[in-house]
Amino acid sequence: MKKYFDVLKFVLLFKGIEENELSSLLQCLSAKIATFNSGETIFKEGDSAKFVGIVLSGEVQIVKDDFYGNRNIVASADQGHLFAESFACADVNVLPINVIAKEDCEIMLIDYNRIITTCPNSCLFHSKLIFNMMKILATKNVALNQKIELASKRTTREKLITYLSTEAKKAGNNSFTIPFNRQELADFLFVDRSAMSSELCKLRDEEIIEFSKNKFKLL
Protein backbone atom coordinates (compact mmCIF):
# COMPACT_ATOMS: atom_id res chain seq x y z
CA MET A 1 0.00 0.00 0.00
CA LYS A 2 2.83 2.42 0.81
CA LYS A 3 3.72 2.87 -2.85
CA TYR A 4 0.35 4.60 -3.30
CA PHE A 5 0.79 7.06 -0.43
CA ASP A 6 2.00 9.84 -2.75
CA VAL A 7 -1.44 9.67 -4.41
CA LEU A 8 -3.53 8.96 -1.33
CA LYS A 9 -2.26 11.99 0.61
CA PHE A 10 -3.99 14.20 -1.97
CA VAL A 11 -7.29 12.26 -1.89
CA LEU A 12 -9.95 14.42 -0.27
CA LEU A 13 -11.34 11.44 1.65
CA PHE A 14 -8.07 11.26 3.61
CA LYS A 15 -7.63 14.99 4.18
CA GLY A 16 -6.37 15.74 7.68
CA ILE A 17 -5.01 12.23 8.16
CA GLU A 18 -1.25 12.02 8.57
CA GLU A 19 0.78 9.79 6.29
CA ASN A 20 2.00 7.73 9.24
CA GLU A 21 -1.65 6.98 10.08
CA LEU A 22 -2.61 5.80 6.60
CA SER A 23 -1.36 2.23 6.99
CA SER A 24 -3.52 1.62 10.06
CA LEU A 25 -6.45 3.40 8.46
CA LEU A 26 -6.35 1.37 5.25
CA GLN A 27 -6.07 -1.83 7.23
CA CYS A 28 -9.09 -0.81 9.31
CA LEU A 29 -11.03 -0.11 6.09
CA SER A 30 -9.93 -3.43 4.52
CA ALA A 31 -8.99 -1.48 1.41
CA LYS A 32 -8.20 -3.58 -1.66
CA ILE A 33 -6.29 -2.77 -4.86
CA ALA A 34 -7.51 -3.98 -8.25
CA THR A 35 -6.11 -3.39 -11.73
CA PHE A 36 -8.19 -3.00 -14.89
CA ASN A 37 -7.30 -2.84 -18.56
CA SER A 38 -8.52 -0.09 -20.87
CA GLY A 39 -12.16 -0.72 -21.79
CA GLU A 40 -12.72 -3.16 -18.94
CA THR A 41 -15.80 -2.81 -16.73
CA ILE A 42 -15.03 -1.96 -13.10
CA PHE A 43 -18.63 -1.81 -11.88
CA LYS A 44 -21.52 -2.87 -14.07
CA GLU A 45 -25.16 -1.86 -13.93
CA GLY A 46 -26.92 -4.18 -11.52
CA ASP A 47 -23.92 -4.70 -9.24
CA SER A 48 -24.35 -4.17 -5.52
CA ALA A 49 -23.90 -0.48 -4.71
CA LYS A 50 -21.71 -0.80 -1.64
CA PHE A 51 -18.18 -0.03 -2.78
CA VAL A 52 -16.40 3.28 -3.18
CA GLY A 53 -13.64 3.41 -5.78
CA ILE A 54 -10.54 5.62 -5.66
CA VAL A 55 -8.51 6.06 -8.85
CA LEU A 56 -4.83 5.47 -8.05
CA SER A 57 -3.70 5.65 -11.67
CA GLY A 58 -5.43 6.06 -15.02
CA GLU A 59 -8.97 7.31 -15.57
CA VAL A 60 -12.48 5.89 -15.42
CA GLN A 61 -15.78 6.97 -16.94
CA ILE A 62 -19.22 6.65 -15.37
CA VAL A 63 -21.63 5.85 -18.18
CA LYS A 64 -25.32 5.12 -18.63
CA ASP A 65 -26.54 2.99 -21.52
CA ASP A 66 -30.17 3.25 -22.60
CA PHE A 67 -32.38 0.39 -23.86
CA TYR A 68 -31.11 0.86 -27.43
CA GLY A 69 -27.43 0.83 -26.48
CA ASN A 70 -26.85 4.58 -26.72
CA ARG A 71 -24.15 5.62 -24.28
CA ASN A 72 -24.17 8.77 -22.18
CA ILE A 73 -21.10 9.75 -20.17
CA VAL A 74 -22.33 10.94 -16.78
CA ALA A 75 -18.91 11.84 -15.37
CA SER A 76 -15.25 10.87 -15.33
CA ALA A 77 -12.70 10.41 -12.57
CA ASP A 78 -8.93 10.49 -12.82
CA GLN A 79 -6.08 9.96 -10.36
CA GLY A 80 -6.97 10.80 -6.76
CA HIS A 81 -10.72 11.06 -7.29
CA LEU A 82 -13.58 8.92 -5.97
CA PHE A 83 -16.46 7.32 -7.85
CA ALA A 84 -19.71 5.50 -6.98
CA GLU A 85 -19.80 6.97 -3.47
CA SER A 86 -23.13 8.75 -4.07
CA PHE A 87 -24.92 5.49 -4.84
CA ALA A 88 -23.44 3.75 -1.80
CA CYS A 89 -24.40 6.68 0.43
CA ALA A 90 -27.96 6.72 -0.94
CA ASP A 91 -28.28 3.05 0.05
CA VAL A 92 -29.23 2.12 -3.53
CA ASN A 93 -29.51 -1.65 -3.77
CA VAL A 94 -27.93 -1.93 -7.21
CA LEU A 95 -25.93 0.41 -9.41
CA PRO A 96 -27.87 2.13 -12.22
CA ILE A 97 -24.65 2.91 -14.12
CA ASN A 98 -21.51 1.29 -15.50
CA VAL A 99 -17.99 2.33 -14.56
CA ILE A 100 -15.52 1.71 -17.39
CA ALA A 101 -11.73 1.99 -17.41
CA LYS A 102 -10.92 4.65 -20.00
CA GLU A 103 -7.30 3.50 -19.86
CA ASP A 104 -5.29 0.97 -17.87
CA CYS A 105 -5.85 1.85 -14.24
CA GLU A 106 -5.36 0.86 -10.62
CA ILE A 107 -8.33 1.22 -8.30
CA MET A 108 -8.65 1.13 -4.52
CA LEU A 109 -11.95 -0.41 -3.44
CA ILE A 110 -13.45 0.29 -0.01
CA ASP A 111 -16.72 -0.93 1.46
CA TYR A 112 -18.69 2.27 2.12
CA ASN A 113 -20.02 0.96 5.45
CA ARG A 114 -16.47 0.71 6.77
CA ILE A 115 -16.01 4.42 6.09
CA ILE A 116 -19.08 5.62 7.95
CA THR A 117 -19.22 3.02 10.74
CA THR A 118 -16.96 3.37 13.75
CA CYS A 119 -14.92 0.21 14.21
CA PRO A 120 -14.59 -1.68 17.53
CA ASN A 121 -11.19 -0.05 18.06
CA SER A 122 -12.86 3.40 18.01
CA CYS A 123 -10.27 4.74 15.57
CA LEU A 124 -10.00 8.51 15.58
CA PHE A 125 -9.85 8.37 11.78
CA HIS A 126 -13.54 7.76 11.31
CA SER A 127 -14.80 11.18 12.37
CA LYS A 128 -12.42 12.73 9.83
CA LEU A 129 -13.49 10.24 7.16
CA ILE A 130 -17.18 10.96 7.69
CA PHE A 131 -16.60 14.73 7.59
CA ASN A 132 -14.53 14.41 4.41
CA MET A 133 -17.15 12.17 2.79
CA MET A 134 -19.82 14.78 3.51
CA LYS A 135 -17.72 17.41 1.70
CA ILE A 136 -17.16 15.08 -1.26
CA LEU A 137 -20.88 14.36 -1.59
CA ALA A 138 -21.70 18.07 -1.38
CA THR A 139 -19.15 18.84 -4.11
CA LYS A 140 -20.56 16.08 -6.31
CA ASN A 141 -24.05 17.53 -5.79
CA VAL A 142 -22.85 20.90 -7.09
CA ALA A 143 -21.30 19.18 -10.11
CA LEU A 144 -24.58 17.34 -10.74
CA ASN A 145 -26.47 20.62 -10.74
CA GLN A 146 -24.00 21.97 -13.29
CA LYS A 147 -24.55 18.87 -15.45
CA ILE A 148 -28.32 19.36 -15.25
CA GLU A 149 -27.88 22.98 -16.32
CA LEU A 150 -25.78 21.82 -19.26
CA ALA A 151 -28.27 19.13 -20.27
CA SER A 152 -31.12 21.65 -20.12
CA LYS A 153 -29.64 23.73 -22.94
CA ARG A 154 -31.83 23.31 -26.00
CA THR A 155 -29.31 23.34 -28.82
CA THR A 156 -25.98 21.66 -29.48
CA ARG A 157 -24.40 25.09 -29.89
CA GLU A 158 -25.61 26.24 -26.47
CA LYS A 159 -24.35 23.05 -24.85
CA LEU A 160 -20.93 23.39 -26.46
CA ILE A 161 -20.50 27.04 -25.48
CA THR A 162 -21.68 26.37 -21.92
CA TYR A 163 -19.38 23.38 -21.51
CA LEU A 164 -16.32 25.03 -23.03
CA SER A 165 -16.87 28.18 -20.97
CA THR A 166 -17.06 26.10 -17.80
CA GLU A 167 -13.84 24.28 -18.67
CA ALA A 168 -12.06 27.58 -19.36
CA LYS A 169 -13.14 28.89 -15.95
CA LYS A 170 -11.91 25.71 -14.27
CA ALA A 171 -8.55 26.02 -16.03
CA GLY A 172 -8.32 29.74 -15.27
CA ASN A 173 -7.28 30.27 -18.87
CA ASN A 174 -8.94 30.67 -22.25
CA SER A 175 -6.70 27.84 -23.51
CA PHE A 176 -7.40 24.42 -21.99
CA THR A 177 -7.60 20.68 -22.61
CA ILE A 178 -10.77 18.65 -22.19
CA PRO A 179 -10.76 14.98 -21.05
CA PHE A 180 -12.84 13.72 -23.99
CA ASN A 181 -12.38 12.74 -27.62
CA ARG A 182 -15.15 13.73 -30.05
CA GLN A 183 -17.40 10.73 -29.44
CA GLU A 184 -16.97 11.00 -25.69
CA LEU A 185 -17.77 14.71 -25.78
CA ALA A 186 -20.94 13.99 -27.75
CA ASP A 187 -21.91 11.32 -25.23
CA PHE A 188 -21.24 13.71 -22.35
CA LEU A 189 -23.33 16.49 -23.91
CA PHE A 190 -26.13 14.09 -24.98
CA VAL A 191 -25.89 15.17 -28.63
CA ASP A 192 -25.27 13.60 -32.02
CA ARG A 193 -21.57 13.45 -32.87
CA SER A 194 -21.97 14.61 -36.48
CA ALA A 195 -24.15 17.56 -35.47
CA MET A 196 -21.68 18.47 -32.75
CA SER A 197 -18.68 18.31 -35.11
CA SER A 198 -20.51 20.53 -37.56
CA GLU A 199 -21.30 23.05 -34.82
CA LEU A 200 -17.67 23.06 -33.66
CA CYS A 201 -16.57 23.94 -37.17
CA LYS A 202 -19.13 26.76 -37.32
CA LEU A 203 -17.88 28.17 -34.01
CA ARG A 204 -14.32 28.00 -35.34
CA ASP A 205 -15.28 29.70 -38.63
CA GLU A 206 -17.03 32.44 -36.65
CA GLU A 207 -13.77 32.88 -34.70
CA ILE A 208 -15.41 32.06 -31.40
CA ILE A 209 -13.12 29.12 -30.69
CA GLU A 210 -9.96 27.43 -31.91
CA PHE A 211 -9.29 23.73 -31.40
CA SER A 212 -6.97 20.87 -32.21
CA LYS A 213 -8.14 17.44 -31.06
CA ASN A 214 -9.01 17.93 -27.38
CA LYS A 215 -7.21 21.27 -26.98
CA PHE A 216 -9.44 24.35 -27.14
CA LYS A 217 -9.10 28.09 -26.98
CA LEU A 218 -11.89 30.61 -26.49
CA LEU A 219 -11.36 33.77 -28.54
Side-chain angles (χ1 to χ4, degrees):
M1 287 289 185
K2 287 187 177 180
K3 72 175 184 177
Y4 300 109
F5 281 8
D6 285 343
V7 175
L8 294 175
K9 66 184 180 182
F10 294 109
V11 174
L12 183 55
L13 180 63
F14 304 129
K15 184 177 181 180
I17 296 172
E18 299 298 326
E19 186 172 325
N20 59 8
E21 299 174 318
L22 269 176
S23 292
S24 298
L25 170 61
L26 295 175
Q27 186 175 2
C28 180
L29 295 175
S30 295
K32 299 177 181 179
I33 307 296
T35 59
F36 297 89
N37 296 323
S38 177
E40 193 173 353
T41 299
I42 299 169
F43 295 153
K44 67 176 181 297
E45 186 174 355
D47 281 351
S48 175
K50 69 174 185 176
F51 288 101
V52 173
I54 301 174
V55 183
L56 300 175
S57 67
E59 183 178 357
V60 306
Q61 290 182 336
I62 295 86
V63 303
K64 177 69 176 178
D65 297 326
D66 66 19
F67 180 79
Y68 300 100
N70 298 310
R71 172 160 292 185
N72 293 317
I73 297 176
V74 179
S76 61
D78 56 11
Q79 187 180 66
H81 290 88
L82 278 69
F83 59 89
E85 73 286 346
S86 297
F87 300 107
C89 178
D91 200 23
V92 175
N93 290 328
V94 296
L95 288 170
I97 47 85
N98 296 298
V99 181
I100 310 294
K102 183 179 179 181
E103 55 193 58
D104 294 350
C105 57
E106 296 172 289
I107 304 297
M108 177 174 285
L109 299 172
I110 303 173
D111 187 322
Y112 182 79
N113 285 326
R114 285 188 171 271
I115 296 175
I116 63 170
T117 304
T118 302
C119 70
N121 297 326
S122 298
C123 297
L124 297 176
F125 314 127
H126 281 91
S127 59
K128 293 180 181 179
L129 286 176
I130 293 170
F131 177 78
N132 290 341
M133 182 58 74
M134 293 277 289
K135 291 189 68 174
I136 291 169
L137 292 170
T139 300
K140 291 289 181 76
N141 188 51
V142 171
L144 177 59
N145 287 331
Q146 293 173 339
K147 185 67 184 289
I148 291 173
E149 178 186 0
L150 179 62
S152 69
K153 300 300 181 183
R154 294 183 179 276
T155 67
T156 299
R157 183 188 183 91
E158 289 177 324
K159 290 183 178 183
L160 279 168
I161 292 175
T162 299
Y163 172 72
L164 295 175
S165 297
T166 299
E167 290 299 300
K169 288 180 180 178
K170 284 167 56 177
N173 198 307
N174 66 328
S175 295
F176 53 92
T177 301
I178 67 171
F180 303 124
N181 61 32
R182 290 292 181 271
Q183 184 60 59
E184 291 168 342
L185 180 57
D187 291 342
F188 183 76
L189 297 177
F190 309 134
V191 298
D192 177 76
R193 177 180 174 175
S194 296
M196 183 195 72
S197 295
S198 176
E199 199 60 56
L200 282 172
C201 291
K202 289 179 182 177
L203 290 169
R204 180 189 59 196
D205 294 343
E206 294 171 19
E207 297 184 347
I208 295 174
I209 64 173
E210 291 179 356
F211 61 85
S212 176
K213 295 184 179 181
N214 65 336
K215 295 181 179 180
F216 285 80
K217 181 177 181 179
L218 300 186
L219 303 176

